[in-house]
Amino acid sequence: MQWHRARVGLRRSAVDYFRGDGSDWVALAGLLLTVPLICAATMANPVWISPAALVLPIVAGGLLLRPASLLGLYAAAATALIVESIRLGPYTEGPSRVTPGVVLVVAACGSFGLLIAQFRSRVGVPWRRGGTMLFDLRERIRVQSELPHLPHGWHREMALRPAGGQSFSGDFVVAARTNGGRTLEAVLTDVSGKGMDAGSRALLLSGAFGGLLGSLPPHAFLPAANGYLLRQDWDEGFATSIHLVLDLDSGDYELYSAGHPPGLQLSAGTGRWEEKAAEGPLLGVYDGAQFDPVKGSLRPGDVLMLFTDGLVETSERDIVEGIDRLTGEADRYVAAGFHGAAWHLIEAVAKDVNDDRALLLICREGPTAHAAAL
């Protein structure tokens, strides 16, 4: 019984330490040991080890310690400065002394570190894993946007480029194979805003949309998503979305749109791109919205392309011109197939656009395209 309690206590302590809820005495002890070492090195050779070197443990403490522990570290650093000032003599007798400028630099670094620690404590960010929370957020969005594997004869790929080179985007994709794997449902959504500002809302909506996808009939998905956005009551609570329902056996599909740019279908027989524009208002604007689908069929060699407005619309060009440019670049991949084309299309059409850009390609491979891919 005692051995079991010891194991449970050790496991709980390890979990608390990993989450950042445990004690920070290890980091505090290590930083407290560096203060007298720096002080001794400064008194031994003040030319190479400046009194201002005490900012190093102070900066590290601002990143690792809680505010209460940080005050103890500051007291040790202040004591070290007093000792250095006494042992090295007045600053007027040489340059390698504790000058008023050194004191101001150390005090300023300490103030900034304390502000950071207090802010981190108030928002409840773990002191050890706070720096990885944004990374975890980005990875969750990326994982939720992964496309399912398709049967032989189908190819899918998706490329996403956030605005300004950031790691977060207001564009996202959720997809799943439903109806026993015979149907592919994919939803491409553009949340209002861009980059970091829209990243948190995109994460929330991608989780909600992923739960709705496959749980409702296709015609009920966008009305349910619209009601969800209305219940959030956000200041910028609207979004555009396009919902693809594709029968992987026959190639027949339906497109439902909520204020989203039209899809584009390439017909292998004619070599022309055709717009597939469904009717529907923006998500999160008013209740009771109706979304009417447009139907089509993908034959061997056909390609369906879905994208967000950041790819085709800028302040310098309208959406018609952007679509023409996108289809012109896409024509280069017809002969060799569209493997790896999504990322290159974004680079060619909207490389320096300050907006989130997303592109989803669904190809039904014909014999020529399959041989070229091999």
Side-chain angles (χ1 to χ4, degrees):
M1 214 41 191
Q2 292 178 352
W3 171 246
H4 175 71
R5 291 175 180 175
R7 284 195 305 164
V8 171
L10 181 62
R11 185 171 64 248
R12 289 178 178 175
S13 299
V15 171
D16 290 342
Y17 188 85
F18 178 75
R19 291 177 175 175
D21 299 329
S23 175
D24 58 355
W25 66 268
V26 176
L28 177 61
L31 292 174
L32 286 177
L33 288 176
T34 62
V35 172
L37 292 177
I38 293 175
C39 180
T42 300
M43 291 185 295
N45 194 341
V47 175
W48 287 95
I49 310 297
S50 170
L54 286 171
V55 299
L56 298 177
I58 287 177
V59 171
L63 299 174
L64 298 176
L65 302 180
R66 294 189 177 92
S69 302
L70 200 57
L71 293 178
L73 179 64
Y74 289 173
T79 303
L81 278 178
I82 295 174
V83 172
E84 291 175 355
S85 179
I86 295 174
R87 293 295 301 272
L88 296 176
Y91 65 89
T92 55
E93 295 182 1
S96 302
R97 302 289 191 273
V98 180
T99 64
V102 170
V103 176
L104 289 177
V105 169
V106 174
C109 291
S111 300
F112 286 129
L114 185 60
L115 287 175
I116 294 173
Q118 288 178 339
F119 174 78
R120 194 169 60 238
S121 177
R122 290 180 63 183
V123 299
V125 178
W127 66 274
R128 270 181 293 276
R129 301 193 65 239
T132 64
M133 292 187 66
L134 293 179
F135 175 78
D136 292 340
L137 174 62
R138 185 191 68 183
E139 289 302 302
R140 289 179 185 273
I141 296 177
R142 183 188 64 81
V143 170
Q144 289 180 358
S145 297
E146 290 183 350
L147 301 176
H149 292 286
L150 300 185
H152 178 73
W154 292 94
H155 171 69
R156 86 288 182 269
E157 61 180 77
M158 189 268 294
L160 179 65
R161 293 289 296 273
Q166 300 182 27
S167 298
F168 300 92
S169 174
D171 298 348
F172 66 89
V173 174
V174 291
R177 291 180 62 175
T178 59
N179 194 23
R182 296 187 297 272
T183 302
L184 171 68
E185 293 193 50
V187 179
L188 176 60
T189 303
D190 183 1
V191 180
S192 58
K194 58 186 177 182
M196 188 79 72
D197 297 333
S200 59
R201 282 177 289 151
L203 176 65
L204 180 62
L205 290 183
S206 64
F209 287 8
L212 293 174
L213 198 65
S215 301
L216 298 173
H219 67 272
F221 175 82
L222 286 181
N226 181 59
Y228 179 80
L229 259 73
L230 288 172
R231 291 192 297 271
Q232 303 311 305
D233 197 22
W234 289 332
D235 293 334
E236 291 185 86
F238 64 91
T240 68
S241 189
I242 189 166
H243 180 200
L244 169 66
V245 184
L246 173 63
D247 189 323
L248 297 173
D249 293 333
S250 64
D252 297 334
Y253 67 85
E254 291 182 338
L255 273 181
Y256 297 84
S257 177
H260 204 82
L264 296 174
Q265 179 178 348
L266 172 66
S267 174
T270 63
R272 296 181 179 178
W273 292 92
E274 178 185 358
E275 289 190 10
K276 296 292 185 178
E279 296 294 332
L282 296 170
L283 295 178
V285 176
Y286 62 88
D287 197 7
Q290 298 293 324
F291 304 94
D292 299 322
V294 60
K295 298 183 179 181
S297 181
L298 291 177
R299 298 177 179 86
D302 288 0
V303 179
L304 183 63
M305 187 160 48
L306 308 179
F307 48 87
T308 56
D309 59 355
L311 191 64
V312 296
E313 188 176 15
T314 64
S315 58
E316 290 81 16
R317 69 183 183 206
D318 58 15
I319 189 172
V320 176
E321 181 183 353
I323 290 178
D324 290 340
R325 183 177 178 183
L326 176 61
T327 54
E329 291 291 337
D331 286 337
R332 300 182 180 183
Y333 296 91
V334 173
F338 282 81
H339 290 263
W343 186 85
H344 292 287
L345 285 175
I346 293 180
E347 283 288 302
V349 176
K351 180 179 180 180
D352 299 321
V353 174
N354 188 26
D355 197 1
D356 299 327
R357 293 141 291 168
L359 177 63
L360 174 63
L361 286 172
I362 305 293
C363 310
R364 189 171 188 181
E365 298 178 328
T368 304
H370 183 63
L374 291 177

